[in-house]
Amino acid sequence: MASTFFLFQAAAVASLIGMTLGWRGVMTKYSGFYDLPTAWSNVFWGILLGGIYASTSHNFILLPYLKFVADDASAVVNPINLLFLCLAASVGAHMLLRRERVRSGSSQPTSGWALGLAVGAMVGMVHLYRVFEIQDSLLDPTLWVTVAAFSIFAPRTEALICCFHGQLMLQGRRWGAVLRSTFWRCAYLVMFAYAVINPLAWIFIIPFAMLVNKKAEEWIWDSIPSEGKKRLRKMWARQIREKLAAEMEAVES
């Protein structure tokens, strides 16, 4: 459809937009009440981990699947590759979330969200590159549905997985965190590969992601220190009083 450079740039920009939306949707609500420098450091590590994860998933999962769809019977995806890749990514995320600077502030969920956004942005980028590559026209409406869905939900699904991983670590369930993260990564990686070919895959991906997204704020809340929770409650109560006072003044005037 266009040059490789243009396709890569378009995929990168779309993924970064989705990463920004994922940050604003959850992390900004509690801004100032969690360890922000540690969260940002995990964005950097997430880009590194996500680059490796996205590249290997592209080579061992996505490309064989696309060849299989093109009737190349010898290109069936090896499920062992899928399991090993997702397990390795989960172990890598676990090692990053068990660092001392993360554990000392009980910031595994917030750091996990930041880490997952970066990892998911890298995964979304390689899938979007293939989406752009196989399309014949920019005017195809399914193309823009797929682009919007990948840019928004690829970072968010990984953020949900890593945030839940961090929440389980707070509860001391280390092996459970790795195994559950591996399971969900396997499921999403398969569905993402399918979504490159068929936009109907988003019917299964989006509702579940939105359902789990409601729990993310609870996981982030659990990582905030008790003193921070008290200050947040006071701040929210003050904002409600100020809003009500402003509404009363508007009615009286």
Side-chain angles (χ1 to χ4, degrees):
M1 184 176 71
S3 67
T4 300
F5 178 77
F6 174 77
L7 296 181
F8 175 80
Q9 290 293 323
V13 169
S15 296
L16 289 175
I17 290 174
M19 180 178 170
T20 302
L21 293 175
W23 185 278
R24 290 177 60 85
V26 175
M27 299 293 275
T28 52
K29 181 177 181 179
Y30 301 102
S31 181
F33 295 91
Y34 59 87
D35 190 352
L36 184 59
T38 299
W40 272 112
S41 74
N42 278 280
V43 171
F44 168 75
W45 288 111
I47 292 173
L48 294 181
L49 175 63
I52 298 171
Y53 178 50
S55 177
T56 52
S57 66
H58 172 268
N59 294 334
F60 293 102
I61 306 299
L62 181 57
L63 277 184
Y65 175 74
L66 294 177
K67 292 178 181 179
F68 174 72
V69 172
D71 296 328
D72 185 357
S74 64
V76 177
V77 178
N78 188 342
I80 301 300
N81 291 340
L82 174 67
L83 180 61
F84 178 78
L85 175 60
C86 294
L87 178 61
S90 297
V91 171
H94 186 83
M95 297 301 293
L96 291 171
L97 294 178
R98 71 184 300 272
R99 291 178 299 159
E100 179 61 28
R101 66 179 300 182
V102 177
R103 290 186 287 116
S104 61
S106 299
S107 60
Q108 288 95 329
T110 52
S111 295
W113 185 271
L115 176 69
L117 283 176
V119 172
M122 297 297 101
V123 173
M125 183 172 65
V126 299
H127 284 75
L128 280 174
Y129 175 82
R130 287 300 173 185
V131 170
F132 286 131
E133 188 179 51
I134 65 177
Q135 291 294 328
D136 297 324
S137 173
L138 287 174
L139 301 178
D140 188 350
T142 61
L143 169 64
W144 296 107
V145 170
T146 303
V147 170
F150 263 117
S151 63
I152 294 172
F153 288 99
R156 187 168 293 268
T157 51
E158 269 295 334
L160 289 169
I161 292 172
C162 289
C163 187
F164 183 49
H165 190 129
Q167 171 68 5
L168 292 176
M169 291 178 69
L170 273 182
Q171 299 173 357
R173 301 165 65 181
R174 298 176 181 176
W175 282 107
V178 172
L179 294 177
R180 293 189 184 195
S181 294
T182 300
F183 171 79
W184 290 117
R185 280 194 174 88
C186 287
Y188 274 114
L189 207 55
V190 169
M191 293 306 298
F192 283 161
Y194 179 53
V196 171
I197 300 297
N198 193 338
L200 291 178
W202 298 107
I203 296 177
F204 303 96
I205 298 172
I206 294 176
F208 190 79
M210 297 304 295
L211 181 65
V212 178
N213 191 70
K214 296 179 180 179
K215 299 290 293 182
E217 292 189 7
E218 298 179 14
W219 302 334
I220 299 295
W221 178 260
D222 288 342
S223 68
I224 297 175
S226 299
E227 185 61 30
K229 291 178 180 178
K230 293 179 182 178
R231 288 190 288 123
L232 259 177
R233 292 190 183 101
K234 291 179 180 179
M235 184 184 71
W236 288 339
R238 184 175 65 253
Q239 291 174 347
I240 292 174
R241 289 194 299 268
E242 292 174 353
K243 182 179 179 180
L244 290 175
E247 291 176 351
M248 291 296 294
E249 290 179 1
V251 171
E252 291 174 356
S253 61

